[in-house]
Amino acid sequence: MRIGVVSVQGAFPEHISSSVQAMRRMGVEGEAVPVRRSKDLEGVDALIIPGGESTTIAKLLWRFHLSQRLLEMAEEGVPIMGTCAGLVLLAKEGDDQVQKTETRLLGLMDMAVDRNAFGRQRESFEAELEIDGLDKPFPAVFIRAPVITRVWGGCRILSRYQGSIVMARQENLLALSFHPELSHDTRIHEMLVSMARR
Ligand code: GLN
């Protein structure tokens, strides 16, 4: 299996090591590779869009022509996980900040987001999160985290924190407000690996 990690800006190195660890724990042979150009997407079975600055990542995704291929892959059913800024990019609807900065979203998931919802309150924090499909809480690290303000259509809520939606899934797409690559717990990356195995 090959897991691609979009590596144009932001928290990508940790995603590479968490992905490798998740595959190892599951006994799946594979590798995790950085994705910078669209040719890096060849042969990728699952993709991660990391946290960082959603405005910057969006700009680079379009500039390096990664978006076009990425949208096709989503359509083909390749599992894609967006964390934090990556969650913002997966959404169909952004808040006024997304509009003001003219951030071009990928628009793949039936959800609306507030880009800096938690950032306005506290810069970062950790919380034990109940997540649908996991038997024990997940130690989630939030950094200037966005939230999902609304879901519709095929988008399913997987977790809330203090009432706000912080994780959702729509078929092959997974969106998280937090940074699973910063926990030692690899269960979220394992989720992505099992989605790719189907
Ligand atoms: N709120 C930031 C943004 O949307 C994301 C922060 C993060 O990825 N840690 O740009």
Side-chain angles (χ1 to χ4, degrees):
M1 174 175 307
R2 176 180 289 194
I3 300 181
V5 180
V6 171
S7 303
V8 292
Q9 192 259 341
F12 54 86
E14 294 86 355
H15 269 301
I16 293 195
S17 44
S18 295
S19 301
V20 168
Q21 252 184 52
M23 286 187 279
R24 195 177 300 147
R25 279 192 191 158
M26 295 171 80
V28 171
E29 248 198 72
E31 56 176 356
V33 297
V35 168
R36 297 198 170 88
R37 297 289 186 273
S38 74
K39 69 167 173 36
D40 301 331
L41 288 168
E42 279 168 29
V44 160
D45 304 298
L47 189 68
I48 298 174
I49 309 174
E53 213 57 63
S54 49
T55 38
T56 309
I57 297 179
K59 243 181 243 154
L60 297 174
L61 279 181
W62 294 100
R63 184 179 305 158
F64 297 150
H65 308 290
L66 278 167
S67 296
Q68 291 78 353
R69 179 66 196 124
L70 203 152
L71 293 173
E72 285 170 11
M73 287 167 72
E75 185 73 23
E76 290 160 9
V78 173
I80 301 177
M81 172 166 84
T83 65
C84 207
L87 163 144
V88 175
L89 298 183
L90 287 176
K92 285 198 174 152
E93 251 178 52
D95 57 358
D96 50 350
Q97 236 195 334
V98 169
Q99 275 155 25
K100 246 187 264 158
T101 52
E102 292 179 8
T103 305
R104 200 168 155 199
L105 304 178
L106 294 167
L108 287 166
M109 291 178 71
D110 296 333
M111 59 187 196
V113 295
D114 182 348
R115 201 190 130 180
N116 284 314
F118 283 120
R120 280 193 291 269
Q121 303 161 22
R122 303 188 258 170
E123 278 290 294
S124 66
F125 58 95
E126 202 176 318
E128 292 289 319
L129 269 194
E130 297 282 350
I131 294 174
D132 234 24
L134 297 185
D135 52 353
K136 274 187 291 188
F138 187 89
V141 177
F142 291 81
I143 303 170
R144 292 183 299 112
V147 298
I148 301 166
T149 48
R150 197 161 62 85
V151 300
W152 63 91
C155 191
R156 215 157 48 81
I157 297 169
L158 294 187
S159 183
R160 288 178 193 266
Y161 174 71
Q162 295 184 344
S164 301
I165 309 166
V166 293
M167 184 167 174
R169 177 171 176 177
Q170 184 162 351
E171 288 163 22
N172 53 314
L173 309 172
L174 206 52
L176 288 61
S177 294
F178 50 96
H179 286 254
E181 79 285 7
L182 297 181
S183 308
H184 290 297
D185 197 319
T186 56
R187 285 178 294 161
I188 306 264
H189 288 81
E190 289 172 33
M191 219 182 249
L192 185 71
V193 173
S194 18
M195 283 162 72
R197 267 214 297 214
R198 284 221 184 97

